[in-house]
Amino acid sequence: MGEKKKESVLAGFKAFLMRGNVVDLAVAVVIGAAFTNIVNSVVKGIISPVVGAVGTKSLDGYKSCLKAPCEIGPDGQPTGVEILWGSVLNATLTFVITAAVVYFLMVLPMAKYLARQEDRRKAREGVQEIVEITELEVLKEIRDTLVAQRVGGGGGGGGVGGQAGSRDGF
């Protein structure tokens, strides 16, 4: 019994790995990692120096001393308590730039494309709906005309023979 359970667990795991979503997710993670390196390089090579040009250092160099003295001791270890707010600002800028690039280069164009596809689909369905409604209306008019001819005309001019109306139930 344990062997059957082991096989079913392995079969389930294999089915999980072979689903399209897992493969798509793996590709997205790999591309995301490569994209992160690009964004980090842009922030470190372009954005940080531009922001640093306003000050005197790169963003990673900005810090505040919470508990003095904030310096390197004789043993090479920092003394005091430093808040490295420049690193936090650098990470925040990296996040905002990444989010902006993903939104403007991927999400927004895809949303516009999907909206166009949906509009086209609705337009096609609208035309089919109009045709179906028109055909239905025409059939209703034909039925009403036939009923009116049989009831109003007394069966004399509406059909072949007077008994056809009673046999069909009209």
Side-chain angles (χ1 to χ4, degrees):
M1 176 145 178
E3 195 169 313
K4 184 178 181 182
K5 185 177 182 181
K6 185 178 179 183
E7 286 179 23
S8 66
V9 169
L10 290 177
F13 183 67
K14 182 180 176 186
F16 170 74
L17 289 178
M18 293 312 211
R19 287 192 329 203
N21 295 345
V22 174
V23 174
D24 292 343
L25 182 60
V27 170
V29 167
V30 170
I31 290 176
F35 186 71
T36 299
N37 287 336
I38 293 171
V39 171
N40 286 339
S41 296
V42 168
V43 169
K44 191 173 187 177
I46 297 173
I47 304 297
S48 293
V50 168
V51 172
V54 174
T56 57
K57 307 173 189 174
S58 71
L59 283 178
D60 290 331
Y62 288 102
K63 57 187 171 184
S64 297
C65 187
L66 185 62
K67 183 177 178 186
C70 288
E71 49 193 40
I72 304 296
D75 58 352
Q77 297 295 324
T79 60
V81 178
E82 292 181 336
I83 297 178
L84 304 173
W85 59 270
S87 298
V88 174
L89 181 61
N90 193 12
T92 303
L93 281 174
T94 302
F95 171 76
V96 169
I97 291 169
T98 304
V101 167
V102 167
Y103 180 76
F104 289 112
L105 294 182
M106 295 177 193
V107 173
L108 193 62
M110 187 57 115
K112 287 181 180 181
Y113 172 75
L114 292 175
R116 281 195 311 263
Q117 293 294 86
E118 184 67 19
D119 289 344
R120 288 179 187 156
R121 185 187 62 78
K122 284 183 180 178
R124 284 192 303 261
E125 286 180 1
V127 169
Q128 290 174 354
E129 221 174 86
I130 291 171
V131 169
E132 289 174 8
I133 291 173
T134 304
E135 289 175 0
L136 184 62
E137 291 298 321
V138 168
L139 289 173
K140 284 181 181 178
E141 288 178 15
I142 291 171
R143 181 200 63 203
D144 293 344
T145 304
L146 288 172
V147 168
Q149 284 177 352
R150 290 190 177 168
V151 171
V160 180
Q163 294 182 5
S166 63
R167 187 172 25 142
D168 292 337
F170 282 103

